[in-house]
Amino acid sequence: MHVLLASSELHPFSKTGGLADAVAALAQAVGRAGWQVSVVTPLYRGVAARAPGLRPAGWKFDIPLGPRLVSGEFWRLDPHPNLTYWFVDQPGFFDRPALYNEADRDYPDNAARFLYLTKAAALLARHHPVPPSILHGHDWQVGLLPLFLHHDRIARGRLTGPRTVFTIHNLAYQGSFPVETWQLTNLPWSWFHLESAAHHGHLNFLKGALSLADGLTTVSPRYAEEICTRQYGCGLEGVLRRRGHDLTGILNGVDYSEWNTTSNPALPHAYDAFHLAGKAANKATLQHELGLPVRSDVPLFGNITRLTDQKGCDLVLEALDRLLPDEPIQFVLLGNGDTDLAEAYRELARRHPRQVVARIGFDARLAHRIEAGCDFYVMPSRFEPCGLNQMYSLRYGTIPIVRATGGLDDSVIDPRADPDLANGIKFSEISAEALEQAWRKALALFADPVALQHFRLNAMTADFSWDRQAQRYLDLYREVLHGP
Ligand code: ADP
């Protein structure tokens, strides 16, 4: 059986967030389970340099985008015998400094760029020597893939084409474009309607997938429930409720071969749940690196994030404002994104140089050192489809403080829910006060080494491995192919 995944990000070649990690890990886990797997993704700038062995596949193509024919070429990399990465080479679209935007501004041709990727994925599915049984798209960039496959089936009579599965990694990003963009699909206007990708007078890529994919998933069971409500549905709760029977929540897994504390080249000191001296050493090294006082008795809190409203950065800033004058705490932020939020963190760090560090930028290795060196990880998201950092924190024995939403709710256990299995601290209300209260619970926990050790042991032994989660995708693929 062959499954083709389509995604605009793929770790370790291109990444802005959890999508890249999830698609790469899912592909590998499905491959380990014995399926043939392909992933199709853009050949962004710099990818070739990072991927020894990547070579042109000898497959050039012209793809129509409205009145234009745009030439491109597949490159391929075969990291394992049953896993192939197909990179779409179209320099005009993908050889750019960033994936989606520069200086807070989306590239104006994002609709064309990602329709091109989508059409290349459909082309690959149609002409691959081993036709895929399942075409699994991820996020809005390839949201119209189920529509193209549906069109192939209905209008072109390709009844044996692949079935489609679509995963929503974040409902807030929908790919909504002016109606005229539809002409880039080269599909008849009769296919543009409310039961396909039309939404409030726009072409909505994500809605195309929600309307027409054979199977729908999102990345945690809790988020699957939440997005059917008005509060979390981002205007698409109607179609999601209609498709409720086809919507499943499958929590992302963690790639423990990369995110581990025992054999990790990014960490200065190895440790595990029963040998925590290395964690203390990582904390001291991190404090030193960040220019903070090296103090084992001061709790160190961390946050690694895209700087966006979703992640509750404003709540962190306000809670820190309340806590910092009086409490002996240290805090490190690693983030990039919104320039105002970045400046607010820098300003806080200027006011509290011995307590707060703001590292603005993207630094994968520093992310590991922060996860390992901190005592607590703060993640007060307004919504969180799955969230990976809280799961990394758990494995690193860094107690997560999270808002009870989406995957954060599914992966963290608060002592009020189960004192024996507690591995983190949860709060519900979206407010700086609620976060501050949770933060104070963390301070109390830090002051009680026996309780902290209990939380850490539970955290570090929690298992979110991909192999288990991938089985759930395989079950879904079988169900989509053969019925329940
Ligand atoms: P999202 O996908 O919404 O951004 P997740 O928690 O699911 O959030 O995944 C975020 C991923 O991106 C994690 O692997 C995290 O470590 C990484 N990440 C986010 N921002 C940065 C950054 N500034 N530097 C390094 N890694 C980052």
Side-chain angles (χ1 to χ4, degrees), residues 15 17-18 21 304-306 311 334-335 361-363 387-389 392:
K15 171 168 169 175
D21 293 5
I304 303 159
T305 188
R306 289 183 293 118
K311 300 291 179 180
L334 169 62
F362 193 97
D363 186 337
L388 291 171
N389 276 309
Y392 301 154

